[in-house]
Amino acid sequence: MKIRLLSTALLAGLAFAQVAGAQEFDDRWYLTGSAGMNIQDNDRGTRNAPFGALGVGKFLNQNWSLDGELNYQNPNNDDNQDLNWSQYGLSLDLRRHFTAEGRNWAPYLLMGLGYQRSEEEFDAFPSVNSPGEREEGNLAAKVGVGIQSALAGKRAAIRTELAYRA
């Protein structure tokens, strides 16, 4: 009987420890904004281009966050700078933050899935319908690493990230 009582008390203590631990992180929704450089592969026939992104996210617990993000980039075509080529997409990104007590910054790993759409103009000479247009959409996967740091009393944060999307 004493072992059952002790075991029950131990399990109850662990349950309350989980509830108390859950209150140690900020679980409010947050907005994200990103700007950076998109390094294009050589097969695409486009130049490297700046990109922008907007998103919304939430910490699931102290170590995991989930973000939804919209991104856009408009690289120039290598062969003809007057032809348009743009890419935009949506992704769902999961980050594993490696937090530590007393530290306002944390490295993280990034994993994401999404959809990327590209719209391209191409030279269709001698057709009268030149330039031609091509639209394509693909599933996209993303992996990366980064560092996030709290600013101004944890009401804002900044991230530095390096990611690969295929």
Side-chain angles (χ1 to χ4, degrees):
M1 180 73 172
K2 287 182 182 180
I3 291 177
R4 280 190 182 168
L5 183 59
L6 183 59
S7 297
T8 304
L10 182 61
L11 287 174
L14 289 173
F16 284 113
Q18 293 288 337
V19 171
Q23 302 303 319
E24 294 177 12
F25 70 98
D26 189 351
D27 66 346
R28 294 177 292 179
W29 289 93
Y30 56 82
L31 298 176
T32 66
S34 302
M37 195 66 172
N38 189 318
I39 310 300
Q40 300 285 323
D41 62 24
N42 294 332
D43 295 337
R44 220 172 274 267
T46 57
R47 306 244 168 121
N48 298 338
F51 76 88
L54 294 172
V56 63
K58 185 174 184 168
F59 269 86
L60 305 174
N61 61 39
Q62 183 177 350
N63 296 319
W64 293 93
S65 66
L66 186 64
D67 292 8
E69 187 176 82
L70 297 170
N71 64 70
Y72 177 78
Q73 53 266 346
N74 190 10
N76 288 330
N77 194 308
D78 282 340
D79 295 334
N80 184 341
Q81 301 288 317
D82 295 328
L83 296 176
N84 292 321
W85 198 102
S86 63
Q87 184 179 32
Y88 51 92
L90 171 69
S91 67
L92 196 57
D93 301 331
L94 184 66
R95 288 179 176 83
R96 169 54 163 102
H97 302 265
F98 297 95
T99 59
E101 182 91 20
R103 192 174 69 186
N104 72 343
W105 60 274
Y108 63 84
L109 296 175
L110 163 71
M111 302 148 281
L113 282 176
Y115 178 78
Q116 288 295 122
R117 181 141 178 96
S118 61
E119 297 176 356
E120 172 188 10
E121 289 182 344
F122 61 93
D123 187 1
F125 183 80
S127 173
V128 294
N129 294 327
S130 188
E133 293 183 15
R134 209 177 348 238
E135 296 180 4
E136 186 175 61
N138 294 299
L139 183 65
K142 183 173 19 174
V143 295
V145 297
I147 296 174
Q148 180 169 316
S149 180
L151 302 174
K154 295 190 179 191
R155 295 287 296 164
I158 188 167
R159 290 179 184 157
T160 300
E161 183 172 280
L162 179 62
Y164 176 78
R165 182 175 59 214

